[in-house]
Amino acid sequence: MRNDDVGKLLLRLTLGLLMLPHGIGKLVGGVGGIQGMLAGAGLPEFLAFGVYLGEVIAPLMVIVGWYCGVGAVLIVINMLFAIFLAHTHEIFQLTEHWGWAIELQAFFLMTAVVLALIGPGRLGLNRH
């Protein structure tokens, strides 16, 4: 049994529905912590508001399949910033259970890369 479009839909839903709560958390709690990390890295603090694109708007785009490739690329950029700003020290670390310390961030990053490459499938607002 093979259905690429259903598989792409499940991949979109997985990425979008797992990423979206992170964005909702920032809508509720603000981006002050991210602004501090950006300032510490010598970057402009206003870039912190980009997290709303990468963690709210982009996941919604991915979920509904509306310009999914654009949404996926926004998530890639978001995750690269997250790894650079908050997780660089963990890149070569394992957890106490031998999992990769940034496996969640890597999952979000690589799933978004895959979606950007394969497209959303026909089960979405923009059909490809």
Side-chain angles (χ1 to χ4, degrees):
M1 180 178 205
R2 181 179 164 106
N3 191 326
D4 292 346
D5 292 320
V6 172
K8 290 176 181 180
L9 173 63
L10 290 173
L11 190 63
R12 286 188 359 238
L13 293 174
T14 300
L15 175 60
L17 292 173
L18 291 176
M19 176 64 79
L20 188 58
H22 293 271
I24 292 170
K26 291 177 182 79
L27 283 172
V28 172
V31 295
I34 297 170
Q35 288 175 316
M37 287 185 271
L38 286 164
L43 297 169
E45 291 182 20
F46 76 86
L47 291 176
F49 295 99
V51 78
Y52 297 126
L53 284 174
E55 294 186 12
V56 178
I57 303 299
L60 291 172
M61 293 169 70
V62 166
I63 289 167
V64 300
W66 184 70
Y67 294 99
C68 178
V70 173
V73 169
L74 290 171
I75 292 172
V76 168
I77 293 167
N78 183 79
M79 292 316 304
L80 290 173
F81 266 91
I83 291 168
F84 169 72
L85 290 173
H87 302 284
T88 304
H89 65 284
E90 297 173 312
I91 290 174
F92 299 107
Q93 291 183 358
L94 299 175
T95 67
E96 65 184 74
H97 302 288
W98 290 83
W100 191 18
I102 64 165
E103 62 191 14
L104 179 63
Q105 295 80 12
F107 169 80
F108 287 148
L109 174 65
M110 296 312 297
T111 304
V113 167
V114 169
L115 276 175
L117 293 172
I118 67 172
R122 290 183 282 169
L123 302 175
L125 295 180
N126 294 113
R127 296 180 181 155
H128 297 288

